[in-house]
Amino acid sequence: MGDELKNVDDVLREHIPPEKLKEVQRVLYGSSFSKLTLPAEAVKLADERKFELAGYGMQAVPEQLRPARVVRVGAVQNKIVLPTSAPIAEQVAALHARIAEIVEVAAMCGVNIICFQETWTMPFAFCTREKQPWCEFSESAEDGPTITFCQELAKKYNMVIISPILERDAAHGDIIANTAVVISNTGTVMGKSRKNHIPRVGDFNESTYYMEGNTGHRVFQTQFGRIAINICFGRHHPLNWMMYGINGAEIVFNPSATVGALSEPMWSIEARNAAIANSYFSVAINRVGTESFESEFTSGDGKKAHHDFGHFYGSSYLAAPDGSRTPGLSRVDDGLLVTEVDLNLCRQVKDKWCFRMTARLDMYAESLAYAIQDGYQPPVVKET
Amino acid sequence: MGDELKNVDDVLREHIPPEKLKEVQRVLYGSSFSKLTLPAEAVKLADERKFELAGYGMQAVPEQLRPARVVRVGAVQNKIVLPTSAPIAEQVAALHARIAEIVEVAAMCGVNIICFQETWTMPFAFCTREKQPWCEFSESAEDGPTITFCQELAKKYNMVIISPILERDAAHGDIIANTAVVISNTGTVMGKSRKNHIPRVGDFNESTYYMEGNTGHRVFQTQFGRIAINICFGRHHPLNWMMYGINGAEIVFNPSATVGALSEPMWSIEARNAAIANSYFSVAINRVGTESFESEFTSGDGKKAHHDFGHFYGSSYLAAPDGSRTPGLSRVDDGLLVTEVDLNLCRQVKDKWCFRMTARLDMYAESLAYAIQDGYQPPVVKET
């Protein structure tokens, strides 16, 4: 995709004079972030391995009674490695190898928690509506080969790993689910969190493959903070983001797969709004590249059948509870975003803005319960 | 404020080469909007009267069974006219005169619905925490002088007017409220909608003056579509935005007053996220300028007492349900934003994205009712 804009932030930096750039960046991105210096060896390896490596720091103020809770958060975006027609085991192995070399660099950068993109072991084949061979990419969220692979990485690097996979749940009738597995830095599988909201956009309907998740809004208490995962389409649903916040999440990851024509003007808005509204950090992760499939498919938009879903525009970023965000990773290249955050910022923002105390949740619990009833009559004022 | 950046969008247009600018704008603002040509006479008058006049159009596709529902929406941002120490009646009269000359231009531009900024008849004096003379700016939402003034404008120009004022409710014990009054294009007072969420940020506490609104999330069925008003701090609360959507709003106005150091990185995010999440248009309106007060006040941040709250950065904009938005009005000047929208876009986006059908409101009504209970134990997974 040689005609794809590589990165909006780069364009701004390239063309806007420095004296204006600072103010433009403050308005667009907030002022809390700074550049993070990463080890030269890591920078060199990332360059050799051909992925972007970006580092930022988000500031919080020192407190008297709580020590800073500094955590380095990693977000990975990547293209698939082999063609979608390659044997499944080879496609998976190639992606395992690619992620292993990115995670090694993340470890050198001191990353404590890392998250990969949605269904990272496979192409995003749900646009094809063919069931095979794609269902074969599914695996156990307890002891599938990808989980075992992640456990080894987690132990080796003392890193919490969030691994979003296509899950096969044999114990519950062989159902398939879109699931993120959380593996602690000791290598223990802490549990899983399923995608709560399943897209039906045009004729792109993921419920062909898996249904709305039944794991609610659980939060994982890791050694590096309380985390949760809001998979892909859930980012369009403010209540989904909210429940993770109510349950105590300090960082909510949003592993995604989304293409430009569909969603790009929404991408920079939704995860960042969630960080603001819920006083936590959010991490929006999108895959990159264009994936071509052997069989043609349509998109329910009156256009001719085609072989790819569109360009996955990457642009992964982290947003902070004070409204600041990092610049995005590239729109076209593999990348690792390393952000150092102080989790104390969550409560600091709560103490400053009082969004939770002013949220009137009791009123909304009542309004919502009332509004979902059949026969609900909204309060509409008409001209008399 | 000569050192204030005038407009981020202008900086982008000035410095980024045209071939890149288009793509940068698409990523940042979406692709649905175009420039709207406004009458030369209106442009001339705006120039003479020293306010920015900007016009945009938001596209929707033609349908077979519904005619287009094209509406022109006006958003006004303005500085106060007289010093905050001038006699109250003179301050109000000067603001009435200023608004009258802006509304006249809006009428020439074919505006059907217009909204002014929060408590537009007064300086935003709530930062002072002094009760007088500010409480004297309050007036009846049924027949106060500002309502009468707006009724005349509404009738004269066949325009729906949303007039956010400081309300004095004599019938309910002389309480004060932060209220938007909706006046139909026939000049009828349709009703009022009060601010649902009251800020307490640092020691800036508006509940010194008025309490959380008791008018719920009513929607007004005007001749130009169903509208609602989410006043200022309510934009930080996704549930507030959501309930207006559930009740059928097609355009939700957010008349505000907010300053840069506090909220600017959030400004472009929240109203736009609401437009996306709820498949309606949102209109974010902020006052401009710096207002100086005779008595000093503090901001609860350890800094010295001062005479102004900070710079109100304007930047009013309209966001569409497909994630597109207009560029913002100036950060420093008075302005009128005219946007032509086709309300059919709301349902078109609903049909495409299905956010409402995938929202699982029943699940959240239950989760929320459960979560607000004393003794609620969030589902937190711990390492075993």
Side-chain angles (χ1 to χ4, degrees), chain A residues 26 184 186 196-197 219 221 237 247 358 360 364 376 381 383, chain B residues 184 186 196-197 219 221 247 264 355 358 360 364 376 381 383:
Chain A
R26 181 189 70 77
S184 84
T186 62
N196 277 325
H197 298 268
V219 166
Q221 173 72 62
H237 292 285
N247 290 342
T358 59
R360 306 185 71 180
Y364 291 106
Y376 173 63
V381 180
E383 207 174 342
Chain B
S184 84
T186 62
N196 276 326
H197 298 268
V219 166
Q221 173 73 64
N247 290 341
E264 197 159 3
F355 289 153
T358 59
R360 307 184 72 180
Y364 292 106
Y376 174 63
V381 179
E383 205 172 347

PDB file of all heavy atoms in Angstrom, chain A residues 26 184 186 196-197 219 221 237 247 358 360 364 376 381 383, chain B residues 184 186 196-197 219 221 247 264 355 358 360 364 376 381 383:
ATOM      1  N   ARG A  26      -0.434  20.278  21.886  1.00  0.00           N
ATOM      2  CA  ARG A  26      -1.128  20.371  23.168  1.00  0.00           C
ATOM      3  C   ARG A  26      -2.640  20.288  22.956  1.00  0.00           C
ATOM      4  O   ARG A  26      -3.344  19.556  23.654  1.00  0.00           O
ATOM      5  CB  ARG A  26      -0.783  21.681  23.893  1.00  0.00           C
ATOM      6  CG  ARG A  26      -1.469  21.801  25.260  1.00  0.00           C
ATOM      7  CD  ARG A  26      -1.305  23.172  25.888  1.00  0.00           C
ATOM      8  NE  ARG A  26      -2.048  24.213  25.198  1.00  0.00           N
ATOM      9  CZ  ARG A  26      -3.374  24.409  25.295  1.00  0.00           C
ATOM     10  NH1 ARG A  26      -4.099  23.636  26.079  1.00  0.00           N
ATOM     11  NH2 ARG A  26      -3.972  25.374  24.618  1.00  0.00           N
ATOM     12  N   SER A 184      -0.209 -14.153  33.576  1.00  0.00           N
ATOM     13  CA  SER A 184       0.553 -13.327  34.525  1.00  0.00           C
ATOM     14  C   SER A 184       2.039 -13.411  34.225  1.00  0.00           C
ATOM     15  O   SER A 184       2.482 -14.276  33.456  1.00  0.00           O
ATOM     16  CB  SER A 184       0.299 -13.795  35.954  1.00  0.00           C
ATOM     17  OG  SER A 184       1.166 -14.881  36.235  1.00  0.00           O
ATOM     18  N   THR A 186       4.215 -14.546  35.946  1.00  0.00           N
ATOM     19  CA  THR A 186       4.794 -15.814  36.402  1.00  0.00           C
ATOM     20  C   THR A 186       4.457 -16.944  35.431  1.00  0.00           C
ATOM     21  O   THR A 186       4.843 -18.086  35.652  1.00  0.00           O
ATOM     22  CB  THR A 186       4.247 -16.191  37.795  1.00  0.00           C
ATOM     23  OG1 THR A 186       2.823 -16.372  37.674  1.00  0.00           O
ATOM     24  CG2 THR A 186       4.518 -15.109  38.821  1.00  0.00           C
ATOM     25  N   ASN A 196     -17.520  -8.529  24.062  1.00  0.00           N
ATOM     26  CA  ASN A 196     -18.895  -8.355  24.501  1.00  0.00           C
ATOM     27  C   ASN A 196     -19.859  -7.913  23.410  1.00  0.00           C
ATOM     28  O   ASN A 196     -21.056  -8.156  23.499  1.00  0.00           O
ATOM     29  CB  ASN A 196     -18.948  -7.325  25.637  1.00  0.00           C
ATOM     30  CG  ASN A 196     -18.635  -7.944  26.978  1.00  0.00           C
ATOM     31  OD1 ASN A 196     -18.990  -9.093  27.229  1.00  0.00           O
ATOM     32  ND2 ASN A 196     -17.963  -7.203  27.837  1.00  0.00           N
ATOM     33  N   HIS A 197     -19.324  -7.203  22.435  1.00  0.00           N
ATOM     34  CA  HIS A 197     -20.198  -6.649  21.385  1.00  0.00           C
ATOM     35  C   HIS A 197     -19.681  -7.122  20.033  1.00  0.00           C
ATOM     36  O   HIS A 197     -18.508  -6.930  19.713  1.00  0.00           O
ATOM     37  CB  HIS A 197     -20.213  -5.130  21.462  1.00  0.00           C
ATOM     38  CG  HIS A 197     -20.754  -4.616  22.759  1.00  0.00           C
ATOM     39  ND1 HIS A 197     -22.077  -4.312  22.934  1.00  0.00           N
ATOM     40  CD2 HIS A 197     -20.148  -4.395  23.954  1.00  0.00           C
ATOM     41  CE1 HIS A 197     -22.275  -3.910  24.184  1.00  0.00           C
ATOM     42  NE2 HIS A 197     -21.113  -3.948  24.825  1.00  0.00           N
ATOM     43  N   VAL A 219     -12.041  -7.836  35.759  1.00  0.00           N
ATOM     44  CA  VAL A 219     -10.795  -7.083  35.841  1.00  0.00           C
ATOM     45  C   VAL A 219      -9.740  -8.028  36.408  1.00  0.00           C
ATOM     46  O   VAL A 219     -10.053  -8.857  37.269  1.00  0.00           O
ATOM     47  CB  VAL A 219     -11.000  -5.835  36.732  1.00  0.00           C
ATOM     48  CG1 VAL A 219      -9.684  -5.214  37.135  1.00  0.00           C
ATOM     49  CG2 VAL A 219     -11.891  -4.824  36.019  1.00  0.00           C
ATOM     50  N   GLN A 221      -6.314  -8.518  38.436  1.00  0.00           N
ATOM     51  CA  GLN A 221      -5.384  -7.875  39.369  1.00  0.00           C
ATOM     52  C   GLN A 221      -3.996  -8.478  39.153  1.00  0.00           C
ATOM     53  O   GLN A 221      -3.678  -9.530  39.689  1.00  0.00           O
ATOM     54  CB  GLN A 221      -5.858  -8.105  40.806  1.00  0.00           C
ATOM     55  CG  GLN A 221      -4.887  -7.621  41.879  1.00  0.00           C
ATOM     56  CD  GLN A 221      -4.847  -6.116  41.972  1.00  0.00           C
ATOM     57  OE1 GLN A 221      -5.846  -5.486  42.279  1.00  0.00           O
ATOM     58  NE2 GLN A 221      -3.685  -5.511  41.673  1.00  0.00           N
ATOM     59  N   HIS A 237     -19.007   1.197  22.350  1.00  0.00           N
ATOM     60  CA  HIS A 237     -20.059   1.139  23.359  1.00  0.00           C
ATOM     61  C   HIS A 237     -19.585   1.710  24.698  1.00  0.00           C
ATOM     62  O   HIS A 237     -18.903   1.035  25.462  1.00  0.00           O
ATOM     63  CB  HIS A 237     -20.538  -0.306  23.504  1.00  0.00           C
ATOM     64  CG  HIS A 237     -21.254  -0.800  22.272  1.00  0.00           C
ATOM     65  ND1 HIS A 237     -22.541  -0.405  21.975  1.00  0.00           N
ATOM     66  CD2 HIS A 237     -20.865  -1.588  21.242  1.00  0.00           C
ATOM     67  CE1 HIS A 237     -22.916  -0.952  20.827  1.00  0.00           C
ATOM     68  NE2 HIS A 237     -21.916  -1.668  20.353  1.00  0.00           N
ATOM     69  N   ASN A 247     -15.611  -1.601  37.687  1.00  0.00           N
ATOM     70  CA  ASN A 247     -15.013  -2.776  38.325  1.00  0.00           C
ATOM     71  C   ASN A 247     -13.551  -2.579  38.708  1.00  0.00           C
ATOM     72  O   ASN A 247     -12.909  -3.505  39.189  1.00  0.00           O
ATOM     73  CB  ASN A 247     -15.187  -4.009  37.432  1.00  0.00           C
ATOM     74  CG  ASN A 247     -16.649  -4.450  37.377  1.00  0.00           C
ATOM     75  OD1 ASN A 247     -17.450  -4.061  38.233  1.00  0.00           O
ATOM     76  ND2 ASN A 247     -17.000  -5.236  36.379  1.00  0.00           N
ATOM     77  N   THR A 358     -19.769  12.710  40.322  1.00  0.00           N
ATOM     78  CA  THR A 358     -20.836  13.501  39.686  1.00  0.00           C
ATOM     79  C   THR A 358     -21.601  12.691  38.631  1.00  0.00           C
ATOM     80  O   THR A 358     -22.367  13.254  37.852  1.00  0.00           O
ATOM     81  CB  THR A 358     -20.259  14.757  39.007  1.00  0.00           C
ATOM     82  OG1 THR A 358     -19.292  14.359  38.015  1.00  0.00           O
ATOM     83  CG2 THR A 358     -19.596  15.683  40.009  1.00  0.00           C
ATOM     84  N   ARG A 360     -23.952  10.332  38.859  1.00  0.00           N
ATOM     85  CA  ARG A 360     -25.373  10.045  39.104  1.00  0.00           C
ATOM     86  C   ARG A 360     -25.769   8.657  38.585  1.00  0.00           C
ATOM     87  O   ARG A 360     -26.808   8.480  37.928  1.00  0.00           O
ATOM     88  CB  ARG A 360     -26.260  11.132  38.472  1.00  0.00           C
ATOM     89  CG  ARG A 360     -25.871  12.523  38.925  1.00  0.00           C
ATOM     90  CD  ARG A 360     -26.824  13.583  38.380  1.00  0.00           C
ATOM     91  NE  ARG A 360     -28.148  13.514  39.028  1.00  0.00           N
ATOM     92  CZ  ARG A 360     -29.155  14.336  38.726  1.00  0.00           C
ATOM     93  NH1 ARG A 360     -29.017  15.242  37.780  1.00  0.00           N
ATOM     94  NH2 ARG A 360     -30.311  14.229  39.346  1.00  0.00           N
ATOM     95  N   TYR A 364     -29.142   6.841  36.394  1.00  0.00           N
ATOM     96  CA  TYR A 364     -29.082   6.143  35.106  1.00  0.00           C
ATOM     97  C   TYR A 364     -29.488   4.677  35.222  1.00  0.00           C
ATOM     98  O   TYR A 364     -30.069   4.118  34.288  1.00  0.00           O
ATOM     99  CB  TYR A 364     -27.700   6.300  34.472  1.00  0.00           C
ATOM    100  CG  TYR A 364     -27.460   7.724  34.042  1.00  0.00           C
ATOM    101  CD1 TYR A 364     -26.617   8.564  34.744  1.00  0.00           C
ATOM    102  CD2 TYR A 364     -28.138   8.248  32.950  1.00  0.00           C
ATOM    103  CE1 TYR A 364     -26.436   9.886  34.371  1.00  0.00           C
ATOM    104  CE2 TYR A 364     -27.963   9.572  32.560  1.00  0.00           C
ATOM    105  CZ  TYR A 364     -27.113  10.387  33.276  1.00  0.00           C
ATOM    106  OH  TYR A 364     -26.955  11.687  32.906  1.00  0.00           O
ATOM    107  N   TYR A 376     -41.981   1.580  26.259  1.00  0.00           N
ATOM    108  CA  TYR A 376     -41.380   2.791  26.827  1.00  0.00           C
ATOM    109  C   TYR A 376     -41.776   4.021  26.015  1.00  0.00           C
ATOM    110  O   TYR A 376     -41.675   4.008  24.783  1.00  0.00           O
ATOM    111  CB  TYR A 376     -39.859   2.656  26.840  1.00  0.00           C
ATOM    112  CG  TYR A 376     -39.104   3.902  27.257  1.00  0.00           C
ATOM    113  CD1 TYR A 376     -39.259   4.429  28.531  1.00  0.00           C
ATOM    114  CD2 TYR A 376     -38.237   4.541  26.369  1.00  0.00           C
ATOM    115  CE1 TYR A 376     -38.557   5.571  28.912  1.00  0.00           C
ATOM    116  CE2 TYR A 376     -37.529   5.677  26.742  1.00  0.00           C
ATOM    117  CZ  TYR A 376     -37.696   6.183  28.018  1.00  0.00           C
ATOM    118  OH  TYR A 376     -37.010   7.308  28.392  1.00  0.00           O
ATOM    119  N   VAL A 381     -41.120  16.508  24.175  1.00  0.00           N
ATOM    120  CA  VAL A 381     -41.928  17.721  24.296  1.00  0.00           C
ATOM    121  C   VAL A 381     -42.338  18.167  22.901  1.00  0.00           C
ATOM    122  O   VAL A 381     -41.486  18.367  22.035  1.00  0.00           O
ATOM    123  CB  VAL A 381     -41.109  18.843  24.969  1.00  0.00           C
ATOM    124  CG1 VAL A 381     -41.951  20.111  25.092  1.00  0.00           C
ATOM    125  CG2 VAL A 381     -40.580  18.383  26.321  1.00  0.00           C
ATOM    126  N   GLU A 383     -44.658  20.827  20.357  1.00  0.00           N
ATOM    127  CA  GLU A 383     -45.171  22.186  20.344  1.00  0.00           C
ATOM    128  C   GLU A 383     -46.676  22.138  20.564  1.00  0.00           C
ATOM    129  O   GLU A 383     -47.368  21.312  19.997  1.00  0.00           O
ATOM    130  CB  GLU A 383     -44.849  22.829  18.984  1.00  0.00           C
ATOM    131  CG  GLU A 383     -44.737  24.330  19.096  1.00  0.00           C
ATOM    132  CD  GLU A 383     -44.269  24.971  17.800  1.00  0.00           C
ATOM    133  OE1 GLU A 383     -43.721  24.246  16.940  1.00  0.00           O
ATOM    134  OE2 GLU A 383     -44.441  26.182  17.658  1.00  0.00           O
TER     135      GLU A 383
ATOM    136  N   SER B 184     -39.649  27.639  20.140  1.00  0.00           N
ATOM    137  CA  SER B 184     -39.916  27.148  18.786  1.00  0.00           C
ATOM    138  C   SER B 184     -39.841  28.288  17.777  1.00  0.00           C
ATOM    139  O   SER B 184     -39.816  29.468  18.157  1.00  0.00           O
ATOM    140  CB  SER B 184     -41.302  26.505  18.712  1.00  0.00           C
ATOM    141  OG  SER B 184     -42.274  27.516  18.512  1.00  0.00           O
ATOM    142  N   THR B 186     -42.053  29.396  16.080  1.00  0.00           N
ATOM    143  CA  THR B 186     -43.237  30.248  16.124  1.00  0.00           C
ATOM    144  C   THR B 186     -43.177  31.200  17.331  1.00  0.00           C
ATOM    145  O   THR B 186     -44.093  31.984  17.538  1.00  0.00           O
ATOM    146  CB  THR B 186     -44.517  29.396  16.242  1.00  0.00           C
ATOM    147  OG1 THR B 186     -44.454  28.668  17.484  1.00  0.00           O
ATOM    148  CG2 THR B 186     -44.637  28.416  15.090  1.00  0.00           C
ATOM    149  N   ASN B 196     -27.565  18.494  33.987  1.00  0.00           N
ATOM    150  CA  ASN B 196     -27.704  17.293  34.810  1.00  0.00           C
ATOM    151  C   ASN B 196     -26.504  17.005  35.708  1.00  0.00           C
ATOM    152  O   ASN B 196     -26.638  16.341  36.729  1.00  0.00           O
ATOM    153  CB  ASN B 196     -27.916  16.072  33.904  1.00  0.00           C
ATOM    154  CG  ASN B 196     -29.367  15.908  33.508  1.00  0.00           C
ATOM    155  OD1 ASN B 196     -30.272  16.224  34.291  1.00  0.00           O
ATOM    156  ND2 ASN B 196     -29.608  15.437  32.304  1.00  0.00           N
ATOM    157  N   HIS B 197     -25.332  17.461  35.269  1.00  0.00           N
ATOM    158  CA  HIS B 197     -24.116  17.143  36.028  1.00  0.00           C
ATOM    159  C   HIS B 197     -23.405  18.453  36.362  1.00  0.00           C
ATOM    160  O   HIS B 197     -23.117  19.245  35.473  1.00  0.00           O
ATOM    161  CB  HIS B 197     -23.213  16.227  35.208  1.00  0.00           C
ATOM    162  CG  HIS B 197     -23.853  14.908  34.890  1.00  0.00           C
ATOM    163  ND1 HIS B 197     -23.693  13.799  35.706  1.00  0.00           N
ATOM    164  CD2 HIS B 197     -24.679  14.516  33.897  1.00  0.00           C
ATOM    165  CE1 HIS B 197     -24.392  12.790  35.188  1.00  0.00           C
ATOM    166  NE2 HIS B 197     -24.997  13.199  34.093  1.00  0.00           N
ATOM    167  N   VAL B 219     -36.546  15.408  25.211  1.00  0.00           N
ATOM    168  CA  VAL B 219     -36.221  15.726  23.822  1.00  0.00           C
ATOM    169  C   VAL B 219     -37.332  16.634  23.298  1.00  0.00           C
ATOM    170  O   VAL B 219     -38.498  16.464  23.660  1.00  0.00           O
ATOM    171  CB  VAL B 219     -36.128  14.413  23.015  1.00  0.00           C
ATOM    172  CG1 VAL B 219     -36.137  14.673  21.521  1.00  0.00           C
ATOM    173  CG2 VAL B 219     -34.874  13.643  23.422  1.00  0.00           C
ATOM    174  N   GLN B 221     -39.439  18.002  20.182  1.00  0.00           N
ATOM    175  CA  GLN B 221     -39.826  17.739  18.788  1.00  0.00           C
ATOM    176  C   GLN B 221     -40.135  19.067  18.118  1.00  0.00           C
ATOM    177  O   GLN B 221     -41.240  19.596  18.225  1.00  0.00           O
ATOM    178  CB  GLN B 221     -41.051  16.821  18.773  1.00  0.00           C
ATOM    179  CG  GLN B 221     -41.649  16.599  17.397  1.00  0.00           C
ATOM    180  CD  GLN B 221     -40.786  15.702  16.535  1.00  0.00           C
ATOM    181  OE1 GLN B 221     -40.603  14.542  16.871  1.00  0.00           O
ATOM    182  NE2 GLN B 221     -40.252  16.238  15.453  1.00  0.00           N
ATOM    183  N   ASN B 247     -33.869   8.588  24.014  1.00  0.00           N
ATOM    184  CA  ASN B 247     -35.148   9.297  23.946  1.00  0.00           C
ATOM    185  C   ASN B 247     -35.422   9.903  22.569  1.00  0.00           C
ATOM    186  O   ASN B 247     -36.414  10.585  22.379  1.00  0.00           O
ATOM    187  CB  ASN B 247     -35.224  10.360  25.048  1.00  0.00           C
ATOM    188  CG  ASN B 247     -35.350   9.713  26.427  1.00  0.00           C
ATOM    189  OD1 ASN B 247     -35.725   8.549  26.530  1.00  0.00           O
ATOM    190  ND2 ASN B 247     -35.039  10.456  27.469  1.00  0.00           N
ATOM    191  N   GLU B 264      -8.962  21.404  27.448  1.00  0.00           N
ATOM    192  CA  GLU B 264      -8.852  21.480  25.992  1.00  0.00           C
ATOM    193  C   GLU B 264      -8.546  20.145  25.306  1.00  0.00           C
ATOM    194  O   GLU B 264      -9.109  19.868  24.249  1.00  0.00           O
ATOM    195  CB  GLU B 264      -7.852  22.563  25.568  1.00  0.00           C
ATOM    196  CG  GLU B 264      -8.037  22.930  24.102  1.00  0.00           C
ATOM    197  CD  GLU B 264      -7.463  24.286  23.740  1.00  0.00           C
ATOM    198  OE1 GLU B 264      -6.857  24.942  24.607  1.00  0.00           O
ATOM    199  OE2 GLU B 264      -7.610  24.689  22.572  1.00  0.00           O
ATOM    200  N   PHE B 355     -25.112   0.131  16.070  1.00  0.00           N
ATOM    201  CA  PHE B 355     -24.640   0.303  17.455  1.00  0.00           C
ATOM    202  C   PHE B 355     -25.756   0.071  18.465  1.00  0.00           C
ATOM    203  O   PHE B 355     -25.538  -0.497  19.525  1.00  0.00           O
ATOM    204  CB  PHE B 355     -24.062   1.709  17.664  1.00  0.00           C
ATOM    205  CG  PHE B 355     -22.750   1.920  16.967  1.00  0.00           C
ATOM    206  CD1 PHE B 355     -22.359   3.192  16.562  1.00  0.00           C
ATOM    207  CD2 PHE B 355     -21.878   0.872  16.743  1.00  0.00           C
ATOM    208  CE1 PHE B 355     -21.137   3.399  15.933  1.00  0.00           C
ATOM    209  CE2 PHE B 355     -20.657   1.063  16.111  1.00  0.00           C
ATOM    210  CZ  PHE B 355     -20.293   2.331  15.713  1.00  0.00           C
ATOM    211  N   THR B 358     -26.596  -3.617  18.819  1.00  0.00           N
ATOM    212  CA  THR B 358     -25.533  -4.412  19.451  1.00  0.00           C
ATOM    213  C   THR B 358     -25.174  -3.878  20.848  1.00  0.00           C
ATOM    214  O   THR B 358     -24.174  -4.283  21.426  1.00  0.00           O
ATOM    215  CB  THR B 358     -24.263  -4.413  18.578  1.00  0.00           C
ATOM    216  OG1 THR B 358     -23.825  -3.051  18.389  1.00  0.00           O
ATOM    217  CG2 THR B 358     -24.507  -5.057  17.223  1.00  0.00           C
ATOM    218  N   ARG B 360     -26.671  -4.109  23.813  1.00  0.00           N
ATOM    219  CA  ARG B 360     -26.954  -4.969  24.984  1.00  0.00           C
ATOM    220  C   ARG B 360     -27.403  -4.147  26.200  1.00  0.00           C
ATOM    221  O   ARG B 360     -26.910  -4.352  27.327  1.00  0.00           O
ATOM    222  CB  ARG B 360     -25.731  -5.826  25.329  1.00  0.00           C
ATOM    223  CG  ARG B 360     -25.202  -6.634  24.140  1.00  0.00           C
ATOM    224  CD  ARG B 360     -24.058  -7.538  24.530  1.00  0.00           C
ATOM    225  NE  ARG B 360     -24.518  -8.679  25.329  1.00  0.00           N
ATOM    226  CZ  ARG B 360     -23.704  -9.631  25.792  1.00  0.00           C
ATOM    227  NH1 ARG B 360     -22.407  -9.574  25.535  1.00  0.00           N
ATOM    228  NH2 ARG B 360     -24.168 -10.626  26.520  1.00  0.00           N
ATOM    229  N   TYR B 364     -26.604  -4.103  30.536  1.00  0.00           N
ATOM    230  CA  TYR B 364     -26.054  -2.987  31.309  1.00  0.00           C
ATOM    231  C   TYR B 364     -27.038  -2.454  32.350  1.00  0.00           C
ATOM    232  O   TYR B 364     -26.630  -2.007  33.421  1.00  0.00           O
ATOM    233  CB  TYR B 364     -25.572  -1.870  30.378  1.00  0.00           C
ATOM    234  CG  TYR B 364     -24.361  -2.317  29.595  1.00  0.00           C
ATOM    235  CD1 TYR B 364     -24.432  -2.645  28.256  1.00  0.00           C
ATOM    236  CD2 TYR B 364     -23.129  -2.470  30.240  1.00  0.00           C
ATOM    237  CE1 TYR B 364     -23.318  -3.090  27.553  1.00  0.00           C
ATOM    238  CE2 TYR B 364     -22.013  -2.917  29.550  1.00  0.00           C
ATOM    239  CZ  TYR B 364     -22.113  -3.231  28.211  1.00  0.00           C
ATOM    240  OH  TYR B 364     -21.017  -3.688  27.539  1.00  0.00           O
ATOM    241  N   TYR B 376     -21.198  -3.841  46.806  1.00  0.00           N
ATOM    242  CA  TYR B 376     -20.902  -4.465  45.510  1.00  0.00           C
ATOM    243  C   TYR B 376     -19.466  -4.988  45.465  1.00  0.00           C
ATOM    244  O   TYR B 376     -18.537  -4.275  45.843  1.00  0.00           O
ATOM    245  CB  TYR B 376     -21.115  -3.436  44.401  1.00  0.00           C
ATOM    246  CG  TYR B 376     -20.697  -3.902  43.019  1.00  0.00           C
ATOM    247  CD1 TYR B 376     -21.318  -4.977  42.397  1.00  0.00           C
ATOM    248  CD2 TYR B 376     -19.682  -3.241  42.326  1.00  0.00           C
ATOM    249  CE1 TYR B 376     -20.944  -5.389  41.128  1.00  0.00           C
ATOM    250  CE2 TYR B 376     -19.299  -3.637  41.046  1.00  0.00           C
ATOM    251  CZ  TYR B 376     -19.931  -4.719  40.454  1.00  0.00           C
ATOM    252  OH  TYR B 376     -19.558  -5.119  39.196  1.00  0.00           O
ATOM    253  N   VAL B 381     -10.235 -10.795  39.079  1.00  0.00           N
ATOM    254  CA  VAL B 381      -9.514 -12.064  39.020  1.00  0.00           C
ATOM    255  C   VAL B 381      -8.124 -11.848  39.609  1.00  0.00           C
ATOM    256  O   VAL B 381      -7.387 -10.973  39.149  1.00  0.00           O
ATOM    257  CB  VAL B 381      -9.379 -12.547  37.557  1.00  0.00           C
ATOM    258  CG1 VAL B 381      -8.615 -13.858  37.501  1.00  0.00           C
ATOM    259  CG2 VAL B 381     -10.749 -12.665  36.909  1.00  0.00           C
ATOM    260  N   GLU B 383      -4.315 -13.518  40.937  1.00  0.00           N
ATOM    261  CA  GLU B 383      -3.400 -14.612  40.613  1.00  0.00           C
ATOM    262  C   GLU B 383      -3.492 -15.654  41.710  1.00  0.00           C
ATOM    263  O   GLU B 383      -3.521 -15.332  42.890  1.00  0.00           O
ATOM    264  CB  GLU B 383      -1.967 -14.063  40.518  1.00  0.00           C
ATOM    265  CG  GLU B 383      -1.109 -14.926  39.646  1.00  0.00           C
ATOM    266  CD  GLU B 383       0.257 -14.297  39.368  1.00  0.00           C
ATOM    267  OE1 GLU B 383       0.431 -13.098  39.642  1.00  0.00           O
ATOM    268  OE2 GLU B 383       1.133 -15.028  38.911  1.00  0.00           O
TER     269      GLU B 383
END
